[in-house]
Amino acid sequence: MTARPAPPRHGRPRRMLASLVALSAVLLASGCGSDAAPRPTPWHEGRIFLATGNTTGVYYQLGGGFADLISRYLPGYEARAEPTGASGENITRVTSGDMEIAFSLADTAADATAGRDAFQGRPQQVRALARVYSNYTHVLVRADTKITQLSDLRGRRVSTGSPRSGTDVIAGRLLTAAGMDPNRDVDRARLSLPDTAARMRAGTLDAMFFSGGLPTPGITDLLAAAPGKFRFLPIADLIEPLTAVYGPVYTTADLPAKAYGTPAAVPTVTVANMILVSVDMPDKLAYDLTTLLFAHQTELGAVHPEGRNFDRMSAANTDPIPLHPGASRFYQGG
């Protein structure tokens, strides 16, 4: 998987360096006296950065897999996956020009394009390449507590995921749906998945949220490291208050027992994932990127099983996020 150890703090120096490199190449070529017509410069000098998520999550694994496909099969382009705080951060990094592709939960993407909640008054101009697999909301609690429903988290130490992540958004909404103020009624910590898992193992957290595909490596590792110490909390009963406020972006499904070797399936809340790009991405590049997702889906599925869990029909259903015109052409068979 092609990935750097940490995301850059700012994209401008990287863009400036890439531009200087490209300019030098043009100047050198023009000084050689060649009569050949110059090749068109690839978008963003052929460098594509993918904003993913925590290093032990599915976004990071699939983002690395997609980056490898781009570098191998899209002539003129080199791609890298970057670890980030996930959905909310990813969207702003794409719209700022710091990244080219973002993984995001559909609810966060809907908020971003509408300019509401965390994006209040700041609508983000993004377009979708595809709707992919669904995220399952994992709510884990210590097995030695008497927590049996979400409302029992009142007064407890709870991690709601990385700041501005999709996990943080849905955790806050679920706590509200259970009749609590997320910032007052629980001892809220906004932590990455690796940090959350470490604190769960240390006993300094009572519960955690994480929205991810199946299986999420960080959850698998946590359960394997402390057998019998944690259990999943069913939360599907909160779907009605959620959909009453936010519409059909949320659905329910069972977290299958086979995903983590639990005694039984656990009813939970799910939300779709999307692959997003900026509005100014060239149509041909968006078309080629969307084509890659399907032409090499078997390879993506080998990176993580969720890479197999979307098809051409479901991928085109990105409402309320508009499809990029290049992606739309792909789904129309153009």
Side-chain angles (χ1 to χ4, degrees):
M1 180 174 68
T2 306
R4 295 196 297 187
R9 292 183 61 85
H10 300 287
R12 303 304 180 194
R14 190 196 75 205
R15 293 284 178 230
M16 186 178 296
L17 177 62
S19 296
L20 289 172
V21 171
L23 179 59
S24 298
V26 170
L27 292 174
L28 286 171
S30 63
C32 291
S34 173
D35 293 329
R39 288 184 178 182
T41 302
W43 191 60
H44 288 187
E45 292 79 41
R47 299 174 183 269
I48 293 180
F49 289 80
L50 292 83
T52 61
N54 293 175
T55 55
T56 56
V58 178
Y59 279 1
Y60 187 66
Q61 288 199 335
L62 283 181
F66 193 19
D68 284 343
L69 294 181
I70 294 168
S71 298
R72 290 164 58 194
Y73 298 117
L74 198 58
Y77 285 93
E78 178 185 352
R80 292 192 181 191
E82 299 283 0
T84 68
S87 299
E89 178 186 336
N90 292 354
I91 290 171
T92 56
R93 294 185 77 170
V94 162
T95 57
S96 71
D98 187 38
M99 299 275 171
E100 286 70 38
I101 299 173
F103 283 74
S104 175
L105 284 170
D107 56 348
T108 303
D111 290 345
T113 56
R116 61 174 178 251
D117 288 357
F119 299 92
Q120 187 65 43
R122 299 178 294 111
Q124 304 294 300
Q125 297 299 311
V126 292
R127 295 293 182 264
L129 294 185
R131 170 178 174 164
V132 285
Y133 66 97
S134 288
N135 265 18
Y136 288 69
T137 307
H138 302 65
V139 183
L140 275 168
V141 300
R142 285 172 37 213
D144 60 356
T145 67
K146 296 182 179 179
I147 301 169
T148 60
Q149 57 188 356
L150 210 65
S151 58
D152 293 336
L153 294 182
R154 190 181 299 273
R156 298 285 190 166
R157 301 164 299 178
V158 182
S159 172
T160 59
S162 298
R164 301 179 62 216
S165 67
T167 294
D168 194 39
V169 170
I170 194 170
R173 290 175 177 179
L174 283 164
L175 289 167
T176 300
M180 290 178 281
D181 182 325
N183 297 314
R184 295 182 180 181
D185 293 332
V186 299
D187 183 0
R188 186 175 192 173
R190 288 182 165 97
L191 303 169
S192 69
L193 181 54
D195 289 344
T196 295
R199 287 187 56 177
M200 288 290 282
R201 287 193 298 269
T204 57
L205 285 174
D206 300 305
M208 62 168 285
F209 288 79
F210 191 76
S211 180
L214 301 180
T216 291
I219 302 293
T220 300
D221 293 344
L222 174 62
L223 296 175
K229 298 292 186 180
F230 309 106
R231 54 185 167 80
F232 287 101
L233 205 61
I235 57 170
D237 59 304
L238 296 171
I239 192 64
E240 288 190 12
L242 271 181
T243 55
V245 177
Y246 301 105
V249 68
Y250 297 112
T251 54
T252 60
D254 284 346
L255 191 82
K258 66 180 181 180
Y260 300 104
T262 53
V266 181
T268 192
V269 171
T270 61
V271 60
N273 286 293
M274 298 198 185
I275 298 178
L276 306 175
V277 297
S278 67
V279 294
D280 63 343
M281 176 176 279
D283 288 2
K284 184 181 186 307
L285 178 56
Y287 176 88
D288 290 342
L289 289 170
T290 309
T291 300
L292 276 181
L293 284 172
F294 293 91
H296 300 279
Q297 189 172 7
T298 300
E299 293 166 71
L300 202 58
V303 173
H304 190 281
E306 292 290 16
R308 297 189 289 266
N309 290 337
F310 60 92
D311 57 34
R312 189 166 177 151
M313 182 174 294
S314 64
N317 183 20
T318 62
D319 186 66
I321 314 303
L323 276 170
H324 190 287
S328 180
R329 180 164 68 86
F330 168 81
Y331 294 117
Q332 292 169 4

